[in-house]
Amino acid sequence: MSPTTTSPEPGAIAPERLAVLDRWLPAWIVLAMVAGLTLGRLVPGIAEALDAVQVGGISLPIAVGLLVMMYPVLAKVRYDRLGSVTRDRRTLWLSVVLNWAVGPALMFALAWTFLADLPEYRTGVILVGLARCIAMVIVWNDLACGDREAAAVLVALNAVFQVVALGALGWFYLDALPSWLGLEDASHTLDVSPWTLAGSTVVFLGLPLLAGFLTRRVGEARRGRDWYEERFLPRLGPWALYGLLFTIVVLFALQGDAITRAPWDVARIAVPLLAYFALMWGGSMWAARRLGLGYARATSVAFTAAGNNFELAIAVAVAAFGVTSPQALAGVVGPLIEVPVLVALVHVSLRLRPLFPRAVS
């Protein structure tokens, strides 16, 4: 009897196809972080100059970097397969529970455990936990050979929940819950403008999603799917990582001086964030496997749950507390920890792939 053959799940990517640029991604990210920190520390006024370029409260340099980062990945999504994801209730409900029940509660507990004596930093860390990922997770999912279509649906679901629920969750975790638990020195009530949330969603998800959809629609209509996926996408793909690296440089340039002046504070903020990313990703992969999800969808669920919308967290912290506030610094430390940790988890994820059930051909 011949051995049973298996085929990759829909949306998955063969790991051996990772390009040289992808395989060396940790090194490029470290260099981008160092470049951003160096610029922020050594170039007078660069943080103020970058922060001054805003449209509707959204940093234009960060927006440009994120749009360049997300567009190529969303152009790869096969939108005709989205129906199979929306019919998968296990994946959708697991993602909702992890993102909007488990994630914020876990970050709240970790922030109060490790930053009980630092209320401003604690508030910033809780904000990071409340802002669920709708941007960079698409890149991590793609590098880990996750289900692109599932990732697109899950980040869209997160975007809807953010617009509807973030203000209420901010009140609950920053004001109501600390008071109910009798915690001293409770954080400030968060007054989040719905326009801030809607603007973030449109810029960081809506525009690249629409551009990716139209690119595939027009490209396939004119030249066919084979040309689109075999000729066009390979040329477009590297721009996602160029956008990622540019975004990292800008983020760290904005707070480079503050980070290098207060390394002990950064270390204190990093502890709950490290614990959060590890626990959320590991717990999500375990829960997905227990529910019988295949590797590709389990990976999409895990990275969507572990990642955070740091650009929104920073925007809300800046709007509520000021650009130089400790809360904003805690928001910037978020990607400082998230980016290298989730890049490492991409490699861990690929090594765990044989432990998951695969589609039998």
Side-chain angles (χ1 to χ4, degrees), residues 329-355:
L329 174 60
V332 172
V333 175
L336 171 70
I337 305 303
E338 176 179 346
V339 169
V341 168
L342 292 190
V343 168
L345 290 175
V346 166
H347 295 277
V348 174
S349 182
L350 291 170
R351 290 184 179 275
L352 293 179
R353 190 172 190 173
L355 300 180

Side-chain angles (χ1 to χ4, degrees), residues 93-241:
W93 279 111
L94 178 60
S95 180
V96 169
V97 170
L98 289 171
N99 274 285
W100 297 102
V102 177
L106 176 62
M107 190 70 93
F108 174 87
L110 291 171
W112 273 95
T113 299
F114 293 103
L115 300 171
D117 59 327
L118 298 171
E120 293 89 357
Y121 290 148
R122 186 180 65 238
T123 297
V125 168
I126 292 173
L127 282 177
V128 173
L130 296 179
R132 312 310 301 167
C133 196
I134 62 171
M136 201 169 284
V137 67
I138 300 232
V139 176
W140 310 140
N141 177 78
D142 216 45
L143 292 172
C145 306
D147 189 322
R148 286 181 183 138
E149 289 70 43
V153 170
L154 296 182
V155 296
L157 196 63
N158 275 349
V160 172
F161 269 87
Q162 264 177 168
V163 173
V164 173
L166 186 59
L169 286 173
W171 166 80
F172 179 74
Y173 282 106
L174 296 178
D175 184 45
L177 186 57
S179 298
W180 296 346
L181 296 176
L183 299 172
E184 296 181 359
D185 192 23
S187 302
H188 303 286
T189 301
L190 182 65
D191 183 16
V192 184
S193 167
W195 296 109
T196 298
L197 303 180
S200 174
T201 300
V202 169
V203 171
F204 298 130
L205 178 61
L207 292 179
L209 185 63
L210 178 62
F213 172 78
L214 292 177
T215 301
R216 178 174 280 276
R217 186 74 176 266
V218 173
E220 289 189 356
R222 292 186 175 181
R223 305 292 294 272
R225 174 163 289 188
D226 289 343
W227 173 87
Y228 183 84
E229 296 193 342
E230 296 174 12
R231 300 285 297 278
F232 177 73
L233 288 182
R235 298 174 190 166
L236 184 65
W239 283 94
L241 298 185

